[in-house]
Amino acid sequence: MPLETYLDHAASTPLRPEAREAWTAAVARHHANPTGAHAAARAARRALDEARATLAATLGRQPGEIVFTSGGSESDNLAVRGVAARRPGAVVCGAGEHHAVLDPVGRLGGTSVPLTRRGSVDLDALAATLDALDRVALVSVMAVNNETGAITDVAAVAEVVARHAPGALVHTDAVQAVSWIDVDEATAAADLVSVTAHKIGGPVGVGALVVADGVEL
Ligand SMILES: Cc1ncc(COP(=O)(O)O)c(C=O)c1O
């Protein structure tokens, strides 16, 4: 028996047996193109639709709002770069975001907002930052921090955004929130929500971005 005790679940979790079973059954059964018209393709499509509906229910969203990605990094990049490509204005994020948000925001010339001593986004600093900008396209704040566990009140952030940058979209990186807090409630105010499977016992290389109805990327 190996003497290793793996504790770094904030970085990645071992695959749960039920996830392994579902994963291996799905890849063994479905190899057809889910957009095809023949029976094997339709079966693959049904499996995909079921997965989409299950995730949507977990996140309190509609199935049509789920965009599957290769993980949290792709979801975050898609949210930041996708919004910036479609809407004029600055991109803003919390200073403690994961690099999957910090880096694209930096490359786009965006602004980061300081955190409170408890590690969540400082709402007064956020309001001041938004007031100082002519136009804001996106504000991105993580729901739960991957290093400190600090929880940011996404609804309170969305209220500040609605008052100080009306029309700006809100993205939350909820990668560390799923299975620890009530994720549907915690992220309900966001237009875009990033999640990933390998933090909660799912396979590496599977993630999703919630894109609220009406939001274009
Ligand atoms: C808060 C946060 N966002 C994004 C990511 C990136 O997710 P992934 O490893 O699925 O690309 C991580 C992973 O460390 C994370 O902790």
Side-chain angles (χ1 to χ4, degrees):
M1 205 164 107
L3 289 174
E4 178 188 85
T5 303
Y6 176 83
L7 297 174
D8 192 9
H9 285 225
S12 200
T13 53
L15 194 60
R16 284 171 187 260
E18 58 269 40
R20 184 194 308 273
E21 210 174 288
W23 177 258
T24 48
V27 292
R29 164 81 180 83
H30 302 294
H31 41 267
N33 177 350
T35 61
H38 50 74
R42 291 200 308 276
R45 177 65 198 217
R46 274 195 300 279
L48 197 54
D49 287 346
E50 268 175 42
R52 195 185 299 282
T54 303
L55 181 59
T58 303
L59 299 175
R61 303 287 177 147
Q62 294 303 313
E65 295 178 304
I66 304 292
V67 175
F68 285 115
T69 65
S70 63
S73 301
E74 186 184 347
S75 301
D76 286 346
N77 272 274
L78 178 59
V80 175
R81 291 185 175 281
V83 170
R86 298 295 291 235
R87 300 166 83 96
V91 288
V92 175
C93 72
E97 296 300 307
H98 188 274
H99 278 280
V101 167
L102 274 180
D103 290 359
V105 167
R107 292 218 172 87
L108 290 162
T111 307
S112 67
V113 177
L115 307 182
T116 64
R117 290 181 65 191
R118 297 185 68 82
S120 62
V121 168
D122 184 323
L123 297 180
D124 293 333
L126 174 62
T129 300
L130 299 179
D131 287 344
L133 291 164
D134 275 349
R135 197 161 181 184
V136 180
L138 179 77
V139 175
S140 179
V141 291
M142 68 204 318
V144 177
N145 185 277
N146 48 307
E147 289 175 342
T148 63
I151 297 173
T152 286
D153 183 342
V154 178
V157 167
E159 270 177 37
V160 171
V161 172
R163 264 188 279 123
H164 295 267
L169 297 175
V170 175
H171 165 245
T172 188
D173 176 337
V175 158
Q176 298 285 352
V178 181
S179 93
W180 295 107
I181 60 174
D182 219 337
V183 70
D184 53 345
E185 209 181 302
T187 63
D191 302 289
L192 299 136
V193 183
S194 298
V195 294
T196 192
H198 76 98
K199 306 282 186 186
I200 52 166
V204 172
V206 179
L209 178 67
V210 170
V211 182
D213 214 15
V215 170
E216 292 194 359
L217 297 182

